[in-house]
Amino acid sequence: MTDVQHPFSDDRIAAVADERGADETDLDRALADVQDAISRDTGDDEYEYSSQHNYGWRDEEAYYLYGDGIWETLRKELSLSETVVEAAREVHRREMVASAEERGERASVEEMLADGTEPLVVVDTASQPPLYGQDV
């Protein structure tokens, strides 16, 4: 089950918040803010994301993107605390790994993320593949 503001379950958010010592409400709000920062309204029911992000795959609920420096940029742009941004990044990582496991690609995605590549998972609200944008 996903929230309309982001593609993460309450259970996943609660688990990461508890493990990382983050306030669950603050984490949930930050995840929604990240979604808002990445989403672009093109008027054509399409989804636009930054040219800084690499497109991994798409399923019925989300786009799975990756890149370098994503979370530092989001931390600065959204004025997130280090605790909250680390927890948010972990929620995104777990979601991406879980989806990769369903695709039979868990090992390769975990290896990619272990090399410092950062995950970004955003709600799929589009009817078409994503377009490249100019900013986060």
Side-chain angles (χ1 to χ4, degrees):
M1 177 72 77
T2 60
D3 187 290
V4 295
Q5 298 177 354
H6 57 69
F8 310 108
S9 71
D10 291 340
D11 290 344
R12 178 159 288 148
I13 295 167
V16 171
D18 185 54
E19 291 169 18
R20 299 292 174 123
D23 180 84
E24 190 175 333
T25 301
D26 290 346
L27 178 55
D28 186 64
R29 185 178 308 115
L31 292 167
D33 289 347
V34 167
Q35 175 71 38
D36 287 344
I38 301 301
S39 297
R40 301 291 182 254
D41 181 10
T42 65
D44 296 323
D45 194 28
E46 294 179 340
Y47 190 85
E48 186 176 352
Y49 65 92
S50 172
S51 56
Q52 296 175 1
H53 309 141
N54 299 301
Y55 178 76
W57 65 91
R58 172 185 183 192
D59 65 20
E60 293 177 0
E61 295 190 21
Y63 286 110
Y64 297 85
L65 312 172
Y66 59 93
D68 297 320
I70 293 170
W71 288 96
E72 180 60 20
T73 301
L74 288 168
R75 185 189 66 76
K76 289 177 182 175
E77 184 175 297
L78 301 174
S79 300
L80 300 173
S81 74
E82 193 63 36
T83 300
V84 170
V85 81
E86 288 298 323
R89 180 178 16 222
E90 180 61 17
V91 170
H92 281 252
R93 186 193 72 74
R94 290 183 189 187
E95 189 76 19
M96 182 173 260
V97 169
S99 176
E101 184 168 24
E102 289 178 9
R103 298 168 53 89
E105 299 172 356
R106 181 182 180 128
S108 62
V109 169
E110 282 184 331
E111 183 178 323
M112 176 185 74
L113 296 177
D115 287 341
T117 300
E118 298 180 320
L120 183 62
V121 182
V122 292
V123 174
D124 179 359
T125 59
S127 60
Q128 300 295 320
L131 306 169
Y132 285 97
Q134 298 305 309
D135 53 12
V136 177

